[in-house]
């Protein structure tokens, strides 16, 4: 990493970013004199790992690194929306139906997360220590599909049951596990057709 620009304290430099010709080709709407004031931060995570962060925020590098470290939670939440709530393949054929599908999935996601937070508070652990997939299964089966009463007392009993069972949906505690960033191949719905060799074209 080449340190350029004006040093702003220890392990921090002020830079002026300008788009290169490839970025201009992809964004022809940018003005010819487009520039951006940014800060380059060098954060040493360990003896073998150094994190370089470019940000428009003049905060301390350690603070930005802590925020950047939470990116895995975003990836996990997106996975829950796409796979658990089946938003990976939208079934709506119109704009209105797609909007309804997104709205219903968002409501379901928020409901499951609320149950997860309440259950985690009961057993005094972090909400993300509970499996979203298993909590959503309990909410879907016990609250949305099989609840056939309007009696407030019975509804509260069912909610208490879901909270108690959700508190048992703990994920394995695996401290120190590290997942390097990598590109994951997309799953194909159908297998590839094997290419036949040695066949001559018909005349």
């Amino acid at each position: 990493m080449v340190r350029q620009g004006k040093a702003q304290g220890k392990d921090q430099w002020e830079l002026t970013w300008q788009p290169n010709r490839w970025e201009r080709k992809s964004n022809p709407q940018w003005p010819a004199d487009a520039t951006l004031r940014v800060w380059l931060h060098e954060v040493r995570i360990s003896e073998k790992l150094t994190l370089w962060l470019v940000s428009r925020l003049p905060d301390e590098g350690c603070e930005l690194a802590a925020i950047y470290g939470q990116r895995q939670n975003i990836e996990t939440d997106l996975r829950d929306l796409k796979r658990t709530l089946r938003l990976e393949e939208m079934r709506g054929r119109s704009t209105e139906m797609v909007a309804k599908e997104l709205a219903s999935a968002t409501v379901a996601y928020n409901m499951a997360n609320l149950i997860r937070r309440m259950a985690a508070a009961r057993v005094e652990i972090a909400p993300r220590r509970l499996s979203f997939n298993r909590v959503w299964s309990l909410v879907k089966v016990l609250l949305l599909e099989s609840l056939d009463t309007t009696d407030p007392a019975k509804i509260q009993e069912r909610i208490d049951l879901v909270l108690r069972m959700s508190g048992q949906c703990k994920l394995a505690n695996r401290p120190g596990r590290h997942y390097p960033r990598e590109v994951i191949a997309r799953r194909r719905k159908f297998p590839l057709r094997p290419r036949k060799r040695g066949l001559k074209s018909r005349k």
Side-chain angles (χ1 to χ4, degrees):
M1 173 65 68
V2 179
R3 301 176 181 86
Q4 298 177 349
K6 183 179 179 181
Q8 299 288 335
K10 183 180 179 181
D11 301 331
Q12 182 176 338
W13 295 265
E14 182 181 350
L15 309 174
T16 300
W17 172 85
Q18 292 180 330
N20 55 38
R21 60 190 180 95
W22 294 282
E23 291 168 335
R24 289 190 179 278
K25 185 177 180 180
S26 302
N27 301 274
Q29 74 279 8
W30 288 355
D33 58 346
T35 58
L36 190 64
R37 182 187 179 191
V38 297
W39 282 268
L40 171 65
H41 303 272
E42 178 184 3
V43 184
R44 298 188 180 277
I45 305 300
S46 64
E47 295 182 358
K48 298 182 179 180
L49 179 62
T50 299
L51 179 64
W52 297 89
L53 288 175
V54 177
S55 173
R56 294 188 62 187
L57 304 174
D59 298 73
E60 294 293 332
C62 57
E63 298 176 1
L64 295 175
I67 297 175
Y68 180 77
Q70 300 298 319
R71 72 190 189 282
Q72 183 61 39
N73 292 335
I74 299 176
E75 299 295 335
T76 302
D77 294 338
L78 291 176
R79 181 200 62 190
D80 293 335
L81 282 167
K82 289 182 178 180
R83 297 186 181 179
T84 305
L85 298 180
R86 299 182 179 179
L87 283 182
E88 195 168 14
E89 295 183 4
M90 306 290 289
R91 296 181 294 274
R93 297 295 184 88
S94 62
T95 304
E96 292 77 11
M97 289 304 300
V98 170
K100 290 179 181 179
E101 196 171 349
L102 285 172
S104 60
T106 302
V107 172
Y109 176 80
N110 290 336
M111 179 186 298
N113 261 330
L114 177 60
I115 293 295
R116 184 168 67 167
R117 286 195 295 268
M118 295 172 64
R122 287 191 172 193
V123 295
E124 297 182 348
I125 62 175
R128 292 187 180 274
R129 283 292 315 280
L130 299 179
S131 169
F132 178 88
N133 190 6
R134 294 166 63 185
V135 171
W136 165 243
S137 297
L138 291 172
V139 171
K140 181 174 61 174
V141 173
L142 298 180
L143 290 181
L144 301 181
E145 295 180 357
S146 62
L147 186 61
D148 56 357
T149 180
T150 57
D151 185 359
K154 293 184 178 180
I155 293 176
Q156 186 61 48
E157 289 180 1
R158 185 64 65 85
I159 294 176
D160 291 337
L161 174 62
V162 172
L163 290 174
R164 185 169 63 254
M165 296 180 67
S166 297
Q168 301 173 2
C169 300
K170 295 181 181 179
L171 295 170
N173 189 12
R174 297 167 179 171
R177 175 164 291 197
H178 174 65
Y179 298 94
R181 301 188 68 178
E182 59 182 352
V183 177
I184 301 177
R186 288 181 174 271
R187 294 182 178 179
R188 295 183 179 272
K189 190 174 182 180
F190 301 101
L192 294 176
R193 176 182 296 178
R195 180 177 297 178
K196 296 181 181 180
R197 297 181 179 179
L199 296 180
K200 297 182 179 180
S201 60
R202 296 180 180 179
K203 295 183 179 180

